[in-house]
């Protein structure tokens, strides 16, 4: 069985629709994706900033130098630590740290507080724990905190502590000097999962919508436009190539638009052409009949005229010649001549009155 092929115009328009639809869906998806991401980031940023600011209010920065010098905890330290631990547990933070970081590269860290979420993979650093931590984003943001007093919010993916959002704010003593940085880190896997779910949902819906739309478009476009145009094309091609009589198939086009108008106009044109051809054939036949009759009449008329030349070959004393040229096929004039005797010649002329 021969496979039914789509018309060329359908393929071209379908390709254009698919490309346009893909671009439109991509634009909508990108807009939704960035709007979704921005909304979540805005909410997370505001939340993490508020938690960091509230945590800073519990601190006594003037005691930090004593804690770092003696590496010993007192009741005040323990009280602050319990409050910070409560922040970590209630707000489901990965960890919270208060540390002193040395310039100029801000890679050497000394921890003052470092409560972590219970049951997590993180281990709490004790008071006075020191380490060298080289991570460009952390080092750069910590430098801005100490040197500019800036509040920094970073979204970090795939580090040693996983994917998280971190807020860093300066901690100042009573004289206004920045002596430490407070960092609050929260896992953003929930956000990552929600974004992945959003992306997967949108992609699946786009595929379903695209399949349904393309299928509906092909069926509707073929029925509404391609089939009527193909019918008009076949009818006009048959009429022009084979001189066939027009059929009433074009009247089956029921479109109330320019295609319907075109179909009915072509149908009427075919009938008009056939009528004109029949009339032209009749007129041509009539002209041929009249022409034939005139030719016969002209021959009869010419046969009635004398044709000998010279008219009287036995006479050498005179010569006689005559001709007649009718204005059309047949004229109204006639002539003749004859010798009455040796001395008398009669010329007979019958001009048309």
């Amino acid at each position: 069985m021969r496979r039914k092929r789509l018309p060329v115009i359908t393929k071209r328009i379908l390709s254009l629709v698919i490309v346009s639809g893909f671009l439109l869906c991509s634009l909508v998806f990108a807009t939704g994706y960035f709007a979704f991401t921005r909304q979540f980031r805005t909410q997370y940023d505001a939340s993490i900033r508020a938690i960091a600011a509230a945590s800073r209010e519990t601190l006594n920065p003037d005691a930090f130098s004593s804690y770092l010098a003696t590496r010993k905890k007192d009741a005040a330290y323990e009280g602050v630590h319990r409050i910070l631990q409560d922040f970590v547990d209630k707000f489901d933070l990965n960890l919270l740290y208060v540390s002193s970081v040395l310039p100029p590269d801000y890679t050497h860290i000394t921890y003052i507080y470092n409560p972590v979420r219970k049951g997590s993979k993180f281990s709490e650093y004790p008071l006075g724990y020191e380490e060298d931590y080289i991570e460009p984003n952390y080092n750069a943001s910590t430098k801005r905190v100490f040197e500019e007093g800036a509040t920094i919010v970073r979204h970090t993916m795939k580090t040693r502590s996983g994917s998280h959002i971190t807020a860093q704010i300066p901690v100042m003593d009573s004289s206004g000097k920045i002596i430490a940085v407070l960092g609050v880190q929260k896992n953003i896997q929930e956000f990552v999962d929600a974004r992945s779910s959003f992306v997967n949902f949108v992609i699946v819906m786009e595929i379903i919508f695209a399949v349904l739309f393309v299928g509906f478009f092909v069926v509707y476009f073929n029925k509404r436009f391609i089939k009527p145009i193909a019918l008009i094309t076949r009818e006009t091609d048959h009429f022009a190539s084979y001189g066939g009589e027009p059929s009433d198939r074009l009247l089956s086009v029921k479109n109330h638009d320019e295609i319907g108008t075109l179909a009915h106009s072509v149908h009427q044109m075919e009938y008009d052409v056939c009528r004109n051809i029949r009339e032209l054939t009749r007129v041509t036949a009539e002209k041929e009949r009249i022409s034939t009759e005139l030719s016969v009449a002209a021959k009869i008329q010419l046969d009635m005229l004398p044709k000998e030349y010279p008219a009287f070959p036995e006479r050498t004393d005179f010569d006689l010649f005559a001709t007649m040229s009718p204005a059309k096929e047949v004229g109204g004039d006639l002539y003749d001549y004859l010798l009455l005797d040796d001395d008398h010649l009669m010329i007979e002329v019958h001009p048309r009155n």
Side-chain angles (χ1 to χ4, degrees):
M1 182 177 179
R2 188 177 180 180
R3 296 179 61 185
K4 190 175 181 180
R5 298 177 62 185
L6 287 175
V8 175
I9 188 173
T10 302
K11 292 180 180 179
R12 290 179 179 175
I13 294 179
L14 184 60
S15 300
L16 179 62
V17 169
I18 291 175
V19 172
S20 300
F22 175 76
L23 294 177
L24 178 61
C25 289
S26 299
L27 179 62
V28 173
F29 170 75
T31 302
Y33 177 82
F34 287 115
F36 179 86
T37 301
R38 184 175 63 253
Q39 181 65 24
F40 264 78
R41 285 197 171 191
T42 299
Q43 293 179 356
Y44 270 93
D45 289 1
S47 174
I48 203 75
R49 285 172 183 268
I51 294 172
S55 300
R56 184 172 57 183
E57 295 300 319
T58 66
L59 302 178
N60 179 18
D62 290 335
F64 287 178
S65 57
S66 175
Y67 294 150
L68 291 176
T70 62
R71 306 294 174 93
K72 293 183 179 180
K73 307 174 183 177
D74 55 15
Y77 179 94
E78 295 291 351
V80 170
H81 188 275
R82 283 193 298 271
I83 295 174
L84 296 180
Q85 184 66 59
D86 193 48
F87 271 98
V88 171
D89 297 335
K90 286 184 176 180
F91 293 106
D92 195 28
L93 305 177
N94 285 345
L95 55 88
L96 186 156
Y97 60 85
V98 179
S99 57
S100 174
V101 189
L102 297 180
D105 52 5
Y106 296 93
T107 58
H108 187 78
I109 307 172
T110 302
Y111 290 92
I112 303 172
Y113 294 98
N114 183 223
V116 300
R117 179 164 50 88
K118 294 177 181 178
S120 69
K121 64 179 181 179
F122 301 102
S123 299
E124 180 177 349
Y125 293 136
L127 170 63
Y129 179 83
E130 298 182 40
E131 71 166 343
D132 290 318
Y133 180 51
I134 302 175
E135 200 284 314
N137 290 328
Y138 170 82
N139 302 139
S141 60
T142 303
K143 180 177 181 179
R144 290 187 58 195
V145 171
F146 274 94
E147 296 182 0
E148 302 174 17
T151 296
I152 307 296
V153 176
R154 292 186 295 112
H155 296 260
T156 308
M157 301 293 179
K158 298 179 181 180
T159 65
R160 68 177 185 178
S161 54
S163 301
H164 55 265
I165 181 174
T166 303
Q168 291 180 291
I169 61 174
V171 178
M172 295 170 285
D173 60 16
S174 56
S175 66
K177 180 182 178 181
I178 299 175
I179 59 172
V181 58
L182 183 146
V184 177
Q185 185 186 104
K186 182 174 177 61
N187 188 286
I188 58 173
Q189 192 60 45
E190 178 184 359
F191 162 72
V192 173
D193 292 342
R195 186 169 62 179
S196 298
S197 298
F198 170 78
V199 171
N200 294 335
F201 174 78
V202 171
I203 291 176
V204 171
M205 292 305 297
E206 281 188 356
I207 293 174
I208 294 175
F209 172 77
V211 171
L212 293 177
F213 176 76
V214 169
F216 171 79
F217 177 82
V218 170
V219 173
Y220 176 80
F221 189 79
N222 274 339
K223 181 179 180 181
R224 190 70 179 173
F225 300 102
I226 298 303
K227 286 185 177 180
I229 293 176
L231 177 60
I232 295 172
T233 302
R234 288 195 302 270
E235 285 297 303
T236 53
D237 180 68
H238 178 79
F239 186 82
S241 301
Y242 303 100
E245 289 292 326
S247 69
D248 292 333
R249 286 192 293 269
L250 289 177
L251 296 179
S252 63
V253 179
K254 304 298 183 182
N255 295 45
H256 298 288
D257 52 23
E258 289 78 2
I259 294 179
T261 302
L262 175 63
H264 289 78
S265 297
V266 170
H267 178 264
Q268 184 63 43
M269 180 192 68
E270 290 180 346
Y271 270 94
D272 291 342
V273 169
C274 286
R275 186 178 66 252
N276 292 336
I277 289 175
R278 288 193 295 267
E279 181 65 20
L280 181 60
T281 302
R282 186 190 65 78
V283 171
T284 301
E286 181 67 17
K287 289 182 66 177
E288 288 179 353
R289 184 187 63 80
I290 294 173
S291 177
T292 301
E293 292 178 354
L294 290 173
S295 296
V296 172
K299 186 176 184 305
I300 293 172
Q301 184 183 38
L302 291 174
D303 289 343
M304 293 173 61
L305 300 176
K307 299 181 176 61
E308 296 83 1
Y309 182 80
F312 304 102
E314 70 278 3
R315 300 292 296 266
T316 58
D317 52 336
F318 70 91
D319 196 5
L320 178 64
F321 176 80
T323 184
M324 184 186 70
S325 298
K328 295 184 179 179
E329 287 84 353
V330 180
D333 300 333
L334 293 174
Y335 68 88
D336 200 359
Y337 43 85
L338 67 144
L339 282 171
L340 297 179
D341 54 34
D342 290 341
D343 298 321
H344 294 87
L345 173 67
M346 183 181 74
I347 297 176
E348 183 182 8
V349 180
H350 297 279
R352 183 180 182 183
N353 293 328

